[in-house]
């Protein structure tokens, strides 16, 4: 079960309950495979694949249903995962 469905079933939460901007600062698109380092402060949306170093700087991350991150997500404000994260999440 995706995390968002789990959250909704636990407390009736929806995407509107999170303080995430509607327009992301950066999008890793569905057909994109990106390797390297990403630093951001606001909102990252991942629909494709990212592997490397992800420096949130208290930003928010949304991993779409087809998205995949192979990295530790540290110092994030909000992390919503519908896809896959292989690594540690500190939010």
């Amino acid at each position: 079960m995706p995390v968002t469905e789990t959250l909704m079933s636990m407390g009736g939460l929806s995407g509107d309950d999170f303080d995430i901007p509607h327009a992301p600062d950066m999008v890793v698109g569905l057909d994109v495979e990106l390797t390297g380092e990403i630093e951001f402060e606001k909102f990252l949306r991942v629909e494709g694949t990212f592997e490397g170093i992800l420096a949130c700087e208290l930003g928010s991350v949304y991993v779409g249903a087809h998205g995949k991150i192979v990295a530790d997500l540290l110092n994030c404000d909000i992390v919503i995962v519908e896809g896959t994260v292989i690594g540690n999440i500190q939010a």
Side-chain angles (χ1 to χ4, degrees), residues 26-30 32-34 38 44-50:
M26 180 176 182
V27 176
V28 177
L30 185 61
V32 175
E33 293 183 17
L34 183 63
I38 297 176
L44 170 68
R45 182 180 182 122
V46 178
E47 297 292 346
T49 301
F50 172 75

Side-chain angles (χ1 to χ4, degrees), residues 63-80:
V63 183
H66 301 286
K68 179 179 178 182
I69 294 178
V70 181
D72 291 336
L73 284 71
L74 304 175
N75 297 323
C76 299
D77 184 33
I78 297 171
V79 176
I80 299 175

Side-chain angles (χ1 to χ4, degrees), residues 2-90:
V3 172
T4 51
E5 287 183 25
T6 303
L7 289 172
M8 284 188 259
S9 66
M10 288 173 31
L13 298 175
S14 71
D16 295 331
D17 294 316
F18 299 100
D19 187 23
I20 294 181
H22 293 285
D25 298 305
M26 180 176 182
V27 176
V28 177
L30 185 61
D31 295 325
V32 175
E33 293 183 17
L34 183 63
T35 302
E37 182 174 348
I38 297 176
E39 294 182 29
F40 66 98
E41 296 179 2
K42 293 184 181 175
F43 180 30
L44 170 68
R45 182 180 182 122
V46 178
E47 297 292 346
T49 301
F50 172 75
E51 183 172 350
I53 299 170
L54 192 62
C56 295
E57 304 301 326
L58 296 178
S60 299
V61 179
Y62 171 76
V63 183
H66 301 286
K68 179 179 178 182
I69 294 178
V70 181
D72 291 336
L73 284 71
L74 304 175
N75 297 323
C76 299
D77 184 33
I78 297 171
V79 176
I80 299 175
V81 179
E82 290 189 83
T84 304
V85 174
I86 300 172
N88 297 308
I89 298 175
Q90 178 188 31

